[in-house]
């Protein structure tokens, strides 16, 4: 530790950090713009100036930029020095010479870092009396709005979009007082993380276009801590509502998971909540009715004479799944996922529990000095992790860079030293991925060959693993390079997942991680899954979907309760049709119409994440709580709540006992051994600070008495929240809440999201009180048995194609695919075959191919790939109406013909 | 004043100014220093003579050349880079041009020696676009040097390899700033880099790199040949060597001359430049290009070396004077300078990007007779806060030097503009719209 | 579309640098030499040959004042507007020029014969006022010489 003196007061701080971070961590208000905790320092804006003194006798001192100054022992600085203060004030004055001062009509107004810093420095009187320069704005696509005149040239946008997220289509143009940030021509920002520009930009240049459409000041939103439901990573989010309508998703800092950034699927996928076809009323038979009636109907059906089973869902909360499981009894509770997925998820859990390495958090990945991605197209299956892998790229260079006196946070200098070199990142996938440009080696192969590739790497580290024969010399070289790099690394991370539906890949990943562990205890392993709660569901006992179908087939069941699950996404249409039509009663809880709700005899509207309290388990096995943002109108409510209601109606011995979320969750934690502790991931419902709840509304919330006046002049009583220690009002505890209960970031003088500094133990570190969530899975076996089976090399088959699923950040996830704003980003149906197969089959550009798989004929427009192995084909299942089929499977090639309209199964289209 | 005056850098320049061919250069002892060095001197030996010679950089900053070299790790693996900074764009400066156009081989030999001293394997001449004649001369000279075996692999069978390329810029004064120059050579925007890391450790393409001014490099062969004591004796003061001084403005004979370091401003103006044009009085001068503080009459006998000019409150800079006469408006003069700096700001850091245009606009309105008392405070504020360390690089601080000294020495002129609401000098046409 | 010889020249420039992108400015110079200016389309073509995005290359192109992203005439006149030339009568010279050509700075004559641009110090302050037309430098230029000088350029 170092002792530094700030305005003659001594502080003990870690050396080597920069002075700005250090001051902010110590709680000082020091203004800044170009520095960003995740982007580092470049010293462009000159806003963070302080005085530094040679020694105690030096009274004059000199101005330095605190963000560029490493902390050293016995250093003396002053923040309040008049010259320093005056300089900081002038920096704002300079920035303001061209700023339009249009706060009143600016979306950033009231949550604007520029406003906050202006007030902080005390600049208020305008002396610049000449013409302002102006710029033209650009259309940047459906997500981000552009208002260039507000720009203060902090360079954060390019540094995030280009340097951090690997985007190519945003940059800085011109020079001097004219610098311009945008695209070279108008057009959609292509990068999957573009939405973060709205939070990275310290003023109103880049703002959320979807919020703009029904704009609400941030302080007029009712907000709650939520968890993204659109992939298995469980990024923490803040969801904001006004007038009963969900209006915006923002990042909620989590030190271990998403840090400062989320992906565009997470930020813009929310509009399924506000979708026009949202199920808002209950339905019995083909009649709309109210929930009460529907639940009574269910109670009646539930009665004797009916054999009831329940099918849960990987996108429903633990509470909802557990409630259903309790209602139907554990022997009648089935996981609503395909057998293959069920098997793979359980397999991953076994590897993580019975293995020797812990699951990697996203932060682990970001700080890894070597990363191997085995089989996952991360940008499309687990986007936020792809962003983390990119950051890992520089880790392997940092030690040598630090040696020449350049601290890791000195961003520009670090990049200049690294130049265009790629770090120890290795990607082995079926097809090229967007992350490849960050990798120093990539490998392409069919799933089993990726497994072989991985095993070959593992073999070089661990003799217990047999050698893989028949690799080309070139492949052996890559294998060796990767093995060497991983072994040399100090914090290696291996990433794999279930998206290829291939166990050999996961085994190889486990082997490598375990082998590394024997030599180095810091190795980590990450698996990604298909849904937000895949892991949670798998941890909860339950039987397979096929078993459920058997039960119906052979008459053990005639009534099925399906909860937040479209069976048509997890099983073949023919099968699902058959089973559902065999049932006497098909009871469905869901939020949006789909193939399953169409077949339902009773439909109960289910709450989405925004209307629900619940807990989910992310890919690392972290249980995370999400809170209801607003009380839904109509008949919408959480599935678990509806089931508790049914429990009362049928006097269910156990369900009856549980009156609220709290009691339900306690029971869940007691009864599910693998989920014990989930009741502790956030404070109990009776949690209060000095008798006060945590308000979901900022104290500046306005219009409360007026907003309903057209309906009723007397202000309605705000809803009670019996499920958590939060309130639906602006009254309550103003201090910093427990880390799992942060509805929004705000601190006196810090109205923008930058106030997150005040919520952290140290800048960029864990939230005060520790990052939220509870790790349910820990490795327990220090010397696990390696997997020694090596898959066969993939062999093409004449007249057939080995059909595999491809994934898309926009489109592959069921709920976000229903978000209006994403529609234009969702690809059309296609089939990719290898160039080699094309030639062999004599197919021409623009043709489409019909093929038969599992008894159904598909006909899809073709794309050709130079890298895809011969005999393999890829299609984006679930997208654009491509109906479900168990993949991988062999497809029988029928014929190819010039493309007309894409012909996919009509019902399947409706199912979408 | 010295009787015999040596002019090592310029004595062999042909009367017609045409470039010395390889033959001509060799005929007057060219490349003998290189032979001497490759004939058995160690890199350290070369660094040593240059160190003893006390040679200071002629690019403006006046940094000790050998000291800069000494930061380069000699054992670092290839490649290492040596770059001749021939971007000469400092207004009022035209000294490097003479050397580039007329004695290209002198520069090339100096570069080879410098490269050897730091064991660089690649070298560049970063030449500004406008120097077309120089470009041809250097291009041709580099070819001749390759053909003669002074460049390429195993130079003069010594085992030392060096490649040399000519890079012509595409504008922007910033390219002369050594780290911005590196970015430009890497095909990037010419914005400066943070130090550390210093180019000597991590420069071009992340490799150890030395950037030296043309005039600095041209001195090396002579120092190696004739020794450090000779070099010291060339000057009249502590600061050793000769200097190419220049004078421009309303003097009788504007021009540039190689003279002993430490001649006085008076000698330069009165003897070499033939004095002021008839009917004009000397009011002041920028001693070393646009980014140096004014010196005025009281300084006429100041010795034009680093220490002397510094003592007088300015900088030797590039040693090329720009003279201000009593018929030229000091406000307009400074306005022109600040326009230049505002235009050439790279736009990276706030005070320079936003402050310089403000300064220019303020000076313009004073010049146009629209000035107010407050404007003077504004100008003072900028000279205070655009100082060294407050901005990212030295451009803006350089821009403030002539302004702050003008406010000091020509205050009455500023006041008169403001009080009379007009420029007391000849009516200057309204500002020209600049593209 | 880049021409064959543009591509050979550019590839030569690329071969001289350790990082492909480093030849970006060189590549732009090469095409500008042949096309006088760099249109959006040209920029895209060069970018794709450099394996850069249009943004990345344009970011560089728009930084430098002698890479022309707007059309210029057959001959580009650069008038030194820096201090020594200003002292020596730059303003009269420019006025004369602008009158004669009937264009302002940044403009091109209707017959697209001349484009007029200001330029910082041309490095011949002892020959002020100075201007450059294409590759030719003119020192101590007076208004009455303009006719003769301009006459040289068709
Ligand atoms: C804005 C700016 C422009 C500069 N332009 C030049 C230049 O044109 N030529 C030059 O030699 N040095 C120039 N310099 C100085 C260089 O940064 C560097 O100090 C010099 O080239 C080092 O060479 P020397 O040590 O031989 O003097 C400039 C500096 C700044 C801040
Ligand atoms: S002072 Fe700042 S803006 Fe000006 S040139 Fe240097 S870095 Fe660029
Ligand atoms: S925050 Fe330090 S210079 Fe911008």
């Amino acid at each position: 530790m170092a002792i530094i003196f700030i305005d003659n007061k001594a502080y003990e701080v870690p050396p080597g950090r920069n002075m700005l971070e250090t001051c902010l961590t110590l709680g000082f208000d020091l203004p800044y713009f170009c520095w960003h905790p995740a982007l580092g320092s470049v010293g462009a804006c000159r806003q963070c100036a302080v005085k530094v003194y040679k020694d105690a006798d030096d009274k004059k001192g000199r101005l330095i930029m605190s963000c560029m100054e490493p902390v050293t022992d016995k250093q003396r600085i002053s923040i309040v020095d008049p010259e320093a203060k005056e300089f900081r004030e002038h920096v704002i004055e300079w920035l303001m010479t061209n700023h339009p001062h249009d706060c009143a009509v600016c979306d950033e107004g009231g949550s604007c870092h520029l406003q906050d810093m202006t007030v902080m420095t005390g600049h208020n009187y305008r002396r610049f009396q000449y013409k302002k320069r102006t710029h033209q704005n650009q259309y940047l696509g459906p997500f981000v709005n552009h208002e260039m005149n507000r720009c203060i040239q902090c360079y954060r946008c390019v540094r995030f979009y280009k340097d951090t997220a690997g985007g190519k289509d945003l940059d800085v143009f011109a020079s001097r007082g004219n610098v311009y940030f945008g695209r070279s021509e108008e057009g959609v920002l292509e990068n999957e993380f573009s939405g973060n520009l709205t939070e990275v930009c310290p003023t109103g240049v880049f703002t959320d276009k979807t919020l703009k459409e029904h704009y609400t000041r941030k302080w007029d939103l009712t907000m709650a801590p939520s968890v993204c439901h659109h992939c298995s990573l469980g990024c923490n989010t803040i969801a904001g509502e006004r007038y009963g309508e969900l209006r915006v998703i923002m990042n909620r800092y989590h030190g271990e998971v998403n840090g400062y950034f989320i992906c565009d699927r997470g930020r813009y996928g929310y509009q399924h909540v506000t979708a026009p076809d949202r199920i808002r009323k209950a339905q019995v038979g083909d009649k709309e009715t109210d929930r009460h009636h529907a639940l009574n109907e269910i109670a009646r059906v539930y009665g004797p004479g009916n054999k009831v089973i329940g099918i849960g869902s990987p996108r429903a909360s633990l509470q909802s799944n557990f409630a259903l499981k309790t209602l139907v009894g554990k022997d009648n509770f089935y996981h609503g996922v395909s057998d293959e997925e069920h098997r793979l998820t359980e397999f991953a859990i076994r590897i993580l529990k019975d293995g020797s390495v812990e699951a990697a958090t996203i932060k682990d990945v970001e700080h890894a000095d070597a990363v191997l991605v085995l089989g996952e197209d991360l940008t499309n299956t687990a986007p936020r992790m792809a962003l983390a892998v990119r950051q890992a790229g520089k880790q392997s260079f940092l030690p040598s860079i630090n040696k020449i006196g350049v601290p890791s946070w000195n961003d520009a200098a670090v990049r200049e030293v690294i130049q265009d070199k790629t770090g120890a990142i290795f990607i082995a996938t079926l097809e090229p991925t967007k992350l490849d440009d960050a990798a120093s080696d990539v490998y392409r192969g069919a799933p089993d060959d990726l497994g072989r590739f991985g095993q070959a790497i593992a073999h070089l580290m661990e003799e217990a693993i047999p050698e893989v024969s028949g690799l080309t010399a070139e492949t052996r070289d890559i294998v060796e390079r990767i093995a060497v790099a991983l072994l040399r690394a100090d914090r290696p991370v291996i990433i794999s997942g279930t998206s290829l539906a291939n166990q050999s890949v996961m085994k190889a990943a486990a082997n490598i991680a375990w082998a590394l562990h024997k030599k180095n205890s810091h190795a980590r392993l990450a698996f990604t899954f298909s849904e937000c709660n895949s892991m949670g569901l798998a941890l909860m006992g339950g039987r397979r979907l096929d078993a459920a179908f058997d039960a119906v087939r052979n008459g053990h069941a005639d009534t099925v309760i399906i909860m937040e699950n479209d069976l048509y996404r997890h099983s073949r249409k023919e099968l699902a049709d058959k089973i559902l039509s065999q049932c006497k009663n098909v009871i469905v809880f869901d939020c949006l119409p789909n193939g399953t709700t169409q077949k339902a005899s009773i439909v109960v509207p289910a709450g989405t994440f925004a209307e629900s309290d619940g807990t989910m388990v992310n890919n690392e096995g972290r249980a995370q709580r999400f809170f209801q943002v607003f009380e839904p109108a109509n008949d919408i409510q959480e599935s678990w709540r509806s089931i508790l209601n049914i429990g009362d109606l049928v006097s269910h011995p156990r369900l009856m006992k549980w009156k609220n979320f709290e009691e339900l969750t306690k029971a869940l934690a007691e009864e599910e051994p693998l989920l014990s502790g989930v009741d502790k991931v956030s404070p109990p419902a009776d949690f209060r600070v000095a008798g006060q709840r945590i308000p979901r509304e900022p104290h500046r919330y306005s219009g409360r008495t007026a907003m309903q006046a057209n309906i009723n002049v007397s202000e309605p009583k705000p809803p009670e929240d019996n499920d958590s220690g939060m309130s639906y009002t602006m009254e309550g505890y103003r201090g910093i809440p427990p880390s799992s209960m942060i509805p929004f970031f705000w601190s006196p003088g810090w109205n923008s999201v930058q106030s997150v500094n005040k919520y952290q133990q140290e800048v960029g570190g864990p939230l005060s009180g520790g990052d939220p969530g509870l790790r349910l899975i820990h490795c327990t076996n220090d010397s696990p048995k390696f997997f020694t089976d090596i898959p066969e090399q993939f062999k093409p088959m004449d007249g057939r194609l080995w059909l595999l699923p491809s994934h898309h950040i926009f489109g592959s996830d069921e709920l976000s695919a229903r978000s209006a704003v994403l529609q234009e980003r969702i690809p059309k149906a296609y089939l990719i075959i290898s160039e080699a197969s094309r030639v062999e089959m004599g197919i021409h550009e623009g043709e489409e191919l019909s093929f038969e798989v599992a008894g159904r004929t598909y006909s899809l427009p073709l794309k050709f790939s130079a890298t895809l192995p011969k005999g393999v084909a890829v299609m984006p299942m679930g997208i654009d109406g491509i109906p479900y089929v168990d993949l991988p499977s062999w497809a029988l090639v029928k014929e190819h013909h010039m493309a007309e309209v894409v012909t996919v199964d009509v019902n399947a289209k409706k199912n979408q | 004043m010295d009787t015999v005056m040596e002019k090592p850098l310029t004595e062999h320049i042909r009367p017609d100014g045409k470039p010395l061919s390889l033959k001509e250069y060799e005929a007057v002892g060219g490349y003998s220093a290189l032979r001497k060095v490759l004939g058995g001197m160690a890199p350290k030996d070369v660094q040593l003579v240059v160190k003893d010679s006390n040679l200071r950089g002629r690019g403006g900053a006046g940094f000790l050349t050998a000291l800069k070299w000494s930061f380069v790790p000699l054992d670092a693996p290839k490649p290492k880079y040596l770059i001749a900074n021939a971007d000469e764009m400092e207004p009022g400066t035209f000294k490097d041009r003479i050397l580039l156009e007329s004695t290209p081989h002198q520069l090339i030999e100096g570069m080879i020696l410098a490269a050897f001293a730091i064991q660089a394997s690649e070298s560049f001449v970063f030449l500004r676009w406008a120097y077309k004649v120089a470009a041809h001369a250097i291009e041709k000279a580099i070819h001749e040097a390759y053909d003669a075996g002074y460049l390429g692999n195993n130079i003069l069978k010594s085992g030392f390899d060096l490649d040399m390329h000519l890079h012509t810029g595409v504008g922007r004064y910033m390219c002369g700033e050594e780290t911005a120059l590196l970015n430009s050579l890497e095909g990037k925007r010419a914005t400066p880099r943070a130090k550390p890391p210093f180019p000597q450790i991590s420069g071009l393409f992340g490799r150890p790199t030395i950037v030296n001014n043309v005039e600095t490099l041209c001195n090396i062969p002579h120092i190696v040949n004739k020794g450090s004591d000779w070099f010291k004796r060339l000057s009249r003061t502590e600061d050793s060597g000769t200097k190419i001084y220049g004078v421009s403005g309303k003097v009788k004979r504007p021009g540039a001359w190689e003279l002993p370091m430490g001649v006085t401003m008076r000698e330069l103006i009165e003897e070499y430049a033939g004095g002021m044009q008839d009917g004009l009085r000397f009011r002041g001068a920028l001693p070393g290009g646009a980014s140096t503080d004014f010196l005025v009459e009281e300084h006429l006998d100041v010795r034009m070396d680093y220490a002397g000019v510094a003592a007088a409150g300015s900088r030797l800079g590039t040693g090329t004077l720009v003279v201000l006469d009593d018929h030229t408006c000091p406000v307009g003069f400074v306005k022109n300078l600040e326009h230049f700096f505002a235009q050439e700001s790279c736009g990276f850091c706030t005070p320079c990007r936003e402050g310089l245009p403000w300064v220019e606009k303020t000076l313009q309105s004073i010049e146009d007779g629209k000035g107010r008392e407050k404007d003077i405070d504004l100008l003072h504020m900028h000279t205070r806060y655009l100082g060294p360390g407050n901005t990212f690089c030295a451009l803006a601080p350089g821009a403030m030097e002539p302004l702050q000294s003008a406010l000091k020495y020509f205050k009455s002129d500023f006041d008169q503009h403001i009080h009379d609401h007009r420029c007391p000098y000849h009516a200057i046409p309204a500002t020209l719209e600049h593209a | 579309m880049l021409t064959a010889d543009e591509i050979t020249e550019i590839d030569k420039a690329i071969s001289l640098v350790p990082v492909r992108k480093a030849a970006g400015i060189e590549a732009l110079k090469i095409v500008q030499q042949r096309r006088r200016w760099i249109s959006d389309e040209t920029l895209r073509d060069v970018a794709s040959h450099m394996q850069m995005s249009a943004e990345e290359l344009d970011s560089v192109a728009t930084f430098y004042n002698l890479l022309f992203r707007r059309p210029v005439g057959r001959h580009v006149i650069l008038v030194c507007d820096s201090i020594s030339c200003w002292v020596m009568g730059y303003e009269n010279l420019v006025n004369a020029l602008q009158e004669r050509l009937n264009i302002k700075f940044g403009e091109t004559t209707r017959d697209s014969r001349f484009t007029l641009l200001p330029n910082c110090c041309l490095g011949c302050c002892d020959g002020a006022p100075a201007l450059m037309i294409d590759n030719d430098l003119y020192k101590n230029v007076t208004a009455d010489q303009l006719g003769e000088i301009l006459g040289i350029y068709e």
Side-chain angles (χ1 to χ4, degrees), chain B residues 57-59 68 85 87-89 173 176-178 211-213 216 394-395:
Chain B
R58 309 296 197 224
K68 189 194 271 190
N85 190 339
D87 192 55
E88 189 164 68
M89 233 185 277
Y173 173 58
E177 196 283 333
E178 60 183 343
V211 178
N212 273 132
N213 169 258
T216 312
L395 182 140

Side-chain angles (χ1 to χ4, degrees), chain A residues 20 31-35 41-49 65-68:
Chain A
L20 175 59
Y32 60 85
F33 289 111
C34 64
W35 172 83
S41 310
V42 293
C45 74
R46 318 308 278 181
Q47 183 62 77
C48 64
M65 298 308 130
S66 56
C67 71
M68 296 294 279

Side-chain angles (χ1 to χ4, degrees), chain A residues 162 168-176 182-185 419-420, chain C residues 18-20 40 43-44 53-56 58-60 62-63 65:
Chain A
K162 192 179 167 192
K168 306 258 180 286
D169 58 334
L170 181 108
D171 218 316
V172 52
F173 303 96
S175 63
R176 64 180 83 107
R183 299 182 87 254
S184 70
E185 288 163 3
Q419 292 281 320
D420 67 342
Chain C
V19 180
R20 191 180 180 93
D40 291 354
L43 182 104
R44 279 195 297 272
S53 70
E55 278 74 10
E56 204 174 0
D58 207 9
S59 172
V60 175
T62 53
F63 183 90
N65 57 311

Side-chain angles (χ1 to χ4, degrees), chain B residues 174 192 344-349 352-353 391-397:
Chain B
M174 267 309 288
E344 294 306 314
S345 163
C346 78
F348 185 68
C349 76
C352 173
R353 184 189 60 244
T391 57
F392 194 91
C393 82
L395 182 140

